[in-house]
Amino acid sequence: MKLDENYQLLERELAAGDPWRLDGNPFERERHAQMLRLSLLDGFVMNALEVGCAAGAFTEKLAPHCERLTVIDVVPRAIDRASLRTKQWSHITWIVSDIEQFSRAEQFDLIVVAEVLYYLRDVGEMRAAVDNLLRMLAPGGHLVFGSARDATCQGWGHVAGAETIIAMLSETLVEVERVQCQGQSTNEDCLLARFRNSNSPSLLLQDPS
Protein backbone atom coordinates (compact mmCIF):
# COMPACT_ATOMS: atom_id res chain seq x y z
CA MET A 1 0.00 0.00 0.00
CA LYS A 2 1.34 3.43 -0.93
CA LEU A 3 0.64 6.93 0.36
CA ASP A 4 -2.64 7.15 -1.51
CA GLU A 5 -6.33 7.56 -0.78
CA ASN A 6 -6.52 4.35 1.25
CA TYR A 7 -3.63 5.49 3.45
CA GLN A 8 -5.27 8.85 4.02
CA LEU A 9 -8.56 7.14 4.81
CA LEU A 10 -6.88 4.97 7.44
CA GLU A 11 -5.24 8.02 8.98
CA ARG A 12 -8.59 9.80 9.27
CA GLU A 13 -10.35 6.76 10.73
CA LEU A 14 -7.58 6.19 13.29
CA ALA A 15 -8.12 9.70 14.61
CA ALA A 16 -11.44 8.54 16.08
CA GLY A 17 -11.73 7.37 19.67
CA ASP A 18 -12.83 3.84 18.73
CA PRO A 19 -12.00 3.45 15.03
CA TRP A 20 -14.21 0.92 13.26
CA ARG A 21 -16.01 0.39 16.64
CA LEU A 22 -13.59 -2.44 17.44
CA ASP A 23 -14.27 -2.15 21.17
CA GLY A 24 -17.91 -1.13 21.29
CA ASN A 25 -19.56 -3.22 18.58
CA PRO A 26 -20.82 -6.74 19.52
CA PHE A 27 -20.04 -7.96 15.99
CA GLU A 28 -16.41 -6.83 16.28
CA ARG A 29 -16.06 -8.36 19.75
CA GLU A 30 -17.34 -11.69 18.43
CA ARG A 31 -15.04 -11.46 15.41
CA HIS A 32 -12.05 -10.91 17.68
CA ALA A 33 -13.13 -13.72 20.00
CA GLN A 34 -13.27 -16.13 17.06
CA MET A 35 -9.93 -14.87 15.70
CA LEU A 36 -8.33 -15.47 19.09
CA ARG A 37 -9.84 -18.95 19.35
CA LEU A 38 -8.53 -19.86 15.90
CA SER A 39 -5.12 -18.41 16.74
CA LEU A 40 -4.78 -20.46 19.92
CA LEU A 41 -6.04 -23.88 18.83
CA ASP A 42 -2.52 -25.20 19.45
CA GLY A 43 -2.13 -23.30 22.71
CA PHE A 44 0.68 -20.90 23.57
CA VAL A 45 2.46 -19.38 20.56
CA MET A 46 6.23 -19.03 20.49
CA ASN A 47 6.61 -16.52 17.65
CA ALA A 48 3.66 -14.65 16.12
CA LEU A 49 3.16 -11.95 13.52
CA GLU A 50 0.11 -9.67 13.42
CA VAL A 51 -0.38 -7.78 10.17
CA GLY A 52 -2.37 -4.58 10.61
CA CYS A 53 -2.98 -3.64 14.22
CA ALA A 54 -5.46 -0.73 13.84
CA ALA A 55 -5.68 0.72 17.38
CA GLY A 56 -4.50 -2.48 19.08
CA ALA A 57 -7.83 -4.05 20.07
CA PHE A 58 -6.82 -7.54 18.89
CA THR A 59 -3.14 -7.09 19.73
CA GLU A 60 -4.17 -6.63 23.36
CA LYS A 61 -5.98 -9.99 23.27
CA LEU A 62 -3.25 -11.93 21.48
CA ALA A 63 -0.16 -10.63 23.27
CA PRO A 64 -0.57 -12.54 26.59
CA HIS A 65 -0.54 -15.84 24.66
CA CYS A 66 2.74 -15.29 22.79
CA GLU A 67 6.39 -15.66 23.73
CA ARG A 68 7.23 -13.13 21.01
CA LEU A 69 4.89 -10.99 18.94
CA THR A 70 5.83 -8.82 15.96
CA VAL A 71 3.23 -6.27 14.85
CA ILE A 72 3.37 -4.38 11.58
CA ASP A 73 1.16 -1.65 10.16
CA VAL A 74 1.64 0.75 7.27
CA VAL A 75 0.22 3.68 9.27
CA PRO A 76 2.50 5.10 12.02
CA ARG A 77 -0.53 6.38 13.95
CA ALA A 78 -1.79 2.80 14.25
CA ILE A 79 1.52 1.62 15.70
CA ASP A 80 1.56 4.55 18.13
CA ARG A 81 -1.96 3.85 19.39
CA ALA A 82 -1.55 0.09 19.61
CA SER A 83 1.81 0.26 21.38
CA LEU A 84 0.41 2.69 23.94
CA ARG A 85 -2.55 0.39 24.56
CA THR A 86 -0.26 -2.62 25.12
CA LYS A 87 2.62 -0.91 26.90
CA GLN A 88 2.48 -3.41 29.80
CA TRP A 89 4.10 -6.06 27.56
CA SER A 90 7.77 -5.91 26.60
CA HIS A 91 7.82 -8.85 24.19
CA ILE A 92 6.11 -6.99 21.32
CA THR A 93 8.16 -5.63 18.40
CA TRP A 94 6.53 -2.77 16.50
CA ILE A 95 7.34 -2.06 12.86
CA VAL A 96 5.92 0.49 10.42
CA SER A 97 5.93 -1.34 7.12
CA ASP A 98 4.03 -2.14 3.95
CA ILE A 99 3.05 -5.83 3.90
CA GLU A 100 4.47 -6.22 0.42
CA GLN A 101 7.86 -4.90 1.56
CA PHE A 102 8.09 -6.38 5.06
CA SER A 103 10.69 -9.13 5.36
CA ARG A 104 12.20 -11.21 8.14
CA ALA A 105 14.75 -14.01 7.97
CA GLU A 106 12.98 -15.68 10.89
CA GLN A 107 9.78 -17.60 10.37
CA PHE A 108 6.60 -17.32 12.39
CA ASP A 109 4.58 -20.10 14.01
CA LEU A 110 1.43 -17.98 13.70
CA ILE A 111 0.53 -15.18 11.30
CA VAL A 112 -2.71 -13.24 11.79
CA VAL A 113 -3.90 -10.99 8.97
CA ALA A 114 -7.44 -9.65 9.17
CA GLU A 115 -9.29 -6.78 7.49
CA VAL A 116 -6.11 -5.62 5.77
CA LEU A 117 -5.52 -7.07 2.32
CA TYR A 118 -8.58 -5.54 0.68
CA TYR A 119 -6.91 -2.13 1.02
CA LEU A 120 -4.40 -3.18 -1.65
CA ARG A 121 -5.07 -1.79 -5.08
CA ASP A 122 -5.52 -4.90 -7.20
CA VAL A 123 -5.45 -8.69 -7.17
CA GLY A 124 -1.79 -8.65 -8.22
CA GLU A 125 -0.82 -6.70 -5.09
CA MET A 126 -2.96 -9.04 -2.98
CA ARG A 127 -1.17 -12.09 -4.40
CA ALA A 128 2.24 -10.48 -3.82
CA ALA A 129 1.29 -9.84 -0.19
CA VAL A 130 0.04 -13.41 0.26
CA ASP A 131 3.23 -14.82 -1.26
CA ASN A 132 5.30 -12.66 1.07
CA LEU A 133 3.41 -13.94 4.11
CA LEU A 134 3.78 -17.55 3.00
CA ARG A 135 7.55 -17.14 2.82
CA MET A 136 7.57 -16.19 6.51
CA LEU A 137 5.23 -18.94 7.76
CA ALA A 138 7.16 -21.73 9.46
CA PRO A 139 6.66 -25.35 8.36
CA GLY A 140 3.77 -26.66 10.42
CA GLY A 141 2.80 -23.10 11.31
CA HIS A 142 -0.67 -21.59 11.07
CA LEU A 143 -2.12 -18.52 9.40
CA VAL A 144 -5.39 -16.97 10.55
CA PHE A 145 -7.06 -14.82 7.91
CA GLY A 146 -10.18 -12.69 8.14
CA SER A 147 -11.99 -10.31 5.84
CA ALA A 148 -15.32 -8.97 4.80
CA ARG A 149 -16.70 -10.92 1.86
CA ASP A 150 -15.90 -10.08 -1.75
CA ALA A 151 -19.31 -8.50 -2.39
CA THR A 152 -19.08 -6.32 0.72
CA CYS A 153 -15.56 -5.16 -0.11
CA GLN A 154 -16.54 -4.38 -3.68
CA GLY A 155 -19.43 -2.33 -2.31
CA TRP A 156 -16.86 -0.33 -0.35
CA GLY A 157 -14.90 0.34 -3.53
CA HIS A 158 -12.21 -2.32 -3.00
CA VAL A 159 -11.26 -4.96 -5.56
CA ALA A 160 -11.93 -8.12 -3.54
CA GLY A 161 -12.18 -9.61 -0.08
CA ALA A 162 -12.49 -12.90 1.76
CA GLU A 163 -13.34 -15.42 -0.94
CA THR A 164 -10.60 -14.19 -3.27
CA ILE A 165 -7.86 -14.29 -0.63
CA ILE A 166 -9.00 -17.63 0.81
CA ALA A 167 -8.73 -19.14 -2.67
CA MET A 168 -5.15 -17.82 -2.95
CA LEU A 169 -4.17 -19.19 0.45
CA SER A 170 -5.74 -22.56 -0.35
CA GLU A 171 -3.36 -23.00 -3.29
CA THR A 172 -0.48 -23.53 -0.84
CA LEU A 173 -1.90 -24.07 2.64
CA VAL A 174 -4.40 -26.53 4.11
CA GLU A 175 -7.59 -24.96 5.42
CA VAL A 176 -8.31 -26.25 8.94
CA GLU A 177 -11.46 -24.35 9.90
CA ARG A 178 -13.69 -21.60 8.55
CA VAL A 179 -16.05 -19.38 10.54
CA GLN A 180 -18.64 -16.87 9.38
CA CYS A 181 -19.28 -13.84 11.57
CA GLN A 182 -22.42 -11.86 10.83
CA GLY A 183 -23.90 -8.84 12.56
CA GLN A 184 -27.04 -6.78 12.15
CA SER A 185 -25.67 -4.53 9.39
CA THR A 186 -25.27 -5.77 5.83
CA ASN A 187 -21.62 -4.67 6.08
CA GLU A 188 -21.08 -6.93 9.09
CA ASP A 189 -20.48 -10.18 7.24
CA CYS A 190 -17.00 -11.64 7.26
CA LEU A 191 -15.22 -14.94 6.89
CA LEU A 192 -12.41 -16.15 9.15
CA ALA A 193 -10.21 -19.11 8.26
CA ARG A 194 -7.33 -20.95 9.88
CA PHE A 195 -4.73 -22.51 7.57
CA ARG A 196 -1.83 -24.87 8.22
CA ASN A 197 1.48 -24.96 6.40
CA SER A 198 1.70 -28.70 5.76
CA ASN A 199 5.38 -28.54 4.74
CA SER A 200 7.72 -30.16 7.23
CA PRO A 201 11.31 -29.06 7.93
CA SER A 202 12.61 -32.43 6.72
CA LEU A 203 10.89 -32.00 3.36
CA LEU A 204 12.26 -28.50 2.95
CA LEU A 205 15.82 -29.75 3.54
CA GLN A 206 15.63 -32.48 0.91
CA ASP A 207 17.57 -32.05 -2.34
CA PRO A 208 14.92 -31.38 -5.03
CA SER A 209 17.05 -33.24 -7.59
Side-chain angles (χ1 to χ4, degrees), residues 16-91:
D18 181 10
W20 307 287
R21 299 176 62 210
L22 296 179
D23 292 310
N25 187 349
F27 165 76
E28 297 294 352
R29 291 199 299 269
E30 173 62 16
R31 184 173 68 86
H32 280 177
Q34 291 292 345
M35 283 171 53
L36 187 64
R37 181 184 66 81
L38 292 173
S39 298
L40 301 179
L41 285 178
D42 287 344
F44 194 76
V45 181
M46 294 303 297
N47 192 18
L49 170 67
E50 182 188 6
V51 180
C53 60
F58 184 72
T59 313
E60 185 178 41
K61 296 176 175 64
L62 181 62
H65 306 282
C66 302
E67 178 73 22
R68 288 178 291 160
L69 174 59
T70 300
V71 180
I72 70 168
D73 200 291
V74 71
V75 182
R77 186 193 292 265
I79 294 290
D80 291 342
R81 288 193 59 170
S83 60
L84 181 63
R85 180 169 181 157
T86 59
K87 61 183 179 181
Q88 66 267 44
W89 291 295
S90 60
H91 65 291

Side-chain angles (χ1 to χ4, degrees), residues 14 22 48 60 66 100 137 149 155 157 164 168 173-174 192 200-201:
L14 278 162
L22 296 179
E60 185 178 41
C66 302
E100 295 174 89
L137 183 62
R149 291 177 176 272
T164 296
M168 290 181 190
L173 306 177
V174 176
L192 307 175
S200 68

